[in-house]
Amino acid sequence: MTEHRSDDALTSLLRAGDPAADDPGLDSRERALIRQRMLATSREGRRQMIGWLVPAATAMALLALALGLALRQPRTPLYEPVAERAPDAPASSIGQQIQFTTDSGILVVWVLQPRLSS
Amino acid sequence: MGESLTMPLPARTTETSEEMLAGLFNRHQERLYRLALRMSGNVESARDLVQETFLRAARRRSLPGGEPGREAWLVRVLVNLCRDRWRRRRVRRHHEDALPARSSAIDPESAAVARATVRAALARLRPRRRAVLVLHELEGVPAARIAGLLGLRAATVRWHLSVGRKELSKLLLTESEELGR
């Protein structure tokens, strides 16, 4: 009860001495100035962002173009097929080869025999 | 006060535009100025604080969506700016040990003396506690709403209110004694 009363007294004291009680607030000139600065800052920020975005977007587009061109290049096997088919053999007699080179430089050739795969 | 006790969940952010900023300024400048004045006790500081708060909003690409979210963001920025100034001033006062508001003590008007006392006492409180007390005692904002505005838990706000009232009572007594000398 006493605490409530002292809280009320404190509130009254604070309100009696409220620093903003008689203050009229920002006048129209101050308001206009702050508003103007705020909008100018916003515009400047937008301009800076655009100035940064255009080169970034151009660089990205060029990169995408270069990547697209690189992927379109026909892939050539690492080596020519190691086995040639005999002139009279059917076209599918050699089958497909998988060639790759290990880190130590050994060439590995897998020849996929069509007759074994069925 | 017809303010709701629960804060809505923070909505998605909204991209800032000139219209949005202008609207935000028109709706909140008066309230923020009063809060800044109550927090700083000085008209020039209050003006600077309001300006800096809105400049910070203008520098952002997006702000919280929804009016309550934006209002809370503005209040928090203002309170944080007050806290930064208070820290800097505390370092200075360590050497000077003088309150600027004391010059008002020579004013014979009792209202001016009361204002000087309250201003000086408030200035000695930690900014967050001061913000809680100002919002609650002078602006009549409920504790739950203050929690939403300052990003604190309601229990923390109540604790600040309880401790702050005791602290402020002592400070007001000290200040009025010093001003009475």
Side-chain angles (χ1 to χ4, degrees), chain A residues 11 15 18 30 37 43, chain B residues 18 38 47 51 137:
Chain A
T11 306
R15 292 199 173 159
D18 182 1
E30 288 169 333
R37 281 184 188 155
R43 255 173 250 141
Chain B
E18 288 194 18
R38 284 166 174 150
R47 199 188 304 130
Q51 177 168 284
E137 302 290 354

Side-chain angles (χ1 to χ4, degrees), chain B residues 33-49:
Chain B
Y33 173 77
R34 290 193 177 280
L35 179 60
L37 187 55
R38 284 166 174 150
M39 290 283 291
S40 67
N42 179 296
V43 173
E44 281 182 16
S45 296
R47 199 188 304 130
D48 287 351
L49 286 164

Side-chain angles (χ1 to χ4, degrees), chain A residues 97-116:
Chain A
Q97 292 182 3
I98 297 172
Q99 301 180 357
F100 60 93
T101 311
T102 63
D103 290 342
S104 53
I106 298 167
L107 172 67
V108 178
V109 179
W110 286 347
V111 178
L112 307 175
Q113 294 292 351
R115 63 192 158 85
L116 294 177

Side-chain angles (χ1 to χ4, degrees), chain A residues 7-29:
Chain A
D7 280 354
D8 289 347
L10 181 70
T11 306
S12 310
L13 199 63
L14 279 173
R15 292 199 173 159
D18 182 1
D22 299 327
D23 195 275
L26 296 169
D27 63 35
S28 57
R29 195 185 55 83

Side-chain angles (χ1 to χ4, degrees), chain A residues 3 6-7 10-11 13-26 30-35 37-39 41-43 45-46 49, chain B residues 16-18 21-22 25-26 29 33-34 37-38 43 47 50-51 54-55 58-59 61 114-115 118-119 122 136-138 140 165 168-169 172:
Chain A
E3 200 171 316
S6 69
D7 280 354
L10 181 70
T11 306
L13 199 63
L14 279 173
R15 292 199 173 159
D18 182 1
D22 299 327
D23 195 275
L26 296 169
E30 288 169 333
R31 279 202 304 271
L33 196 69
I34 295 175
R35 200 184 144 105
R37 281 184 188 155
M38 176 185 73
L39 295 179
T41 304
S42 170
R43 255 173 250 141
R46 227 171 285 276
M49 198 175 72
Chain B
T16 49
S17 65
E18 288 194 18
L21 285 169
F25 180 78
N26 291 341
Q29 56 86 16
Y33 173 77
R34 290 193 177 280
L37 187 55
R38 284 166 174 150
V43 173
R47 199 188 304 130
V50 170
Q51 177 168 284
F54 282 107
L55 288 184
R59 282 186 207 115
R61 270 195 291 165
R115 265 201 299 278
V118 169
R119 203 162 47 204
L122 281 174
H136 188 74
E137 302 290 354
L138 296 175
R165 278 187 189 124
L168 199 60
S169 299
L172 282 169

Side-chain angles (χ1 to χ4, degrees), chain B residues 102-140:
Chain B
R102 293 226 177 109
S103 57
S104 308
I106 49 165
D107 192 327
E109 298 279 335
S110 60
V113 174
R115 265 201 299 278
T117 312
V118 169
R119 203 162 47 204
L122 281 174
R124 292 199 169 189
L125 289 176
R126 290 186 161 273
R128 180 163 284 172
R129 190 163 295 161
R130 196 188 321 157
V132 170
L133 277 163
V134 162
L135 286 166
H136 188 74
E137 302 290 354
L138 296 175
E139 299 195 3

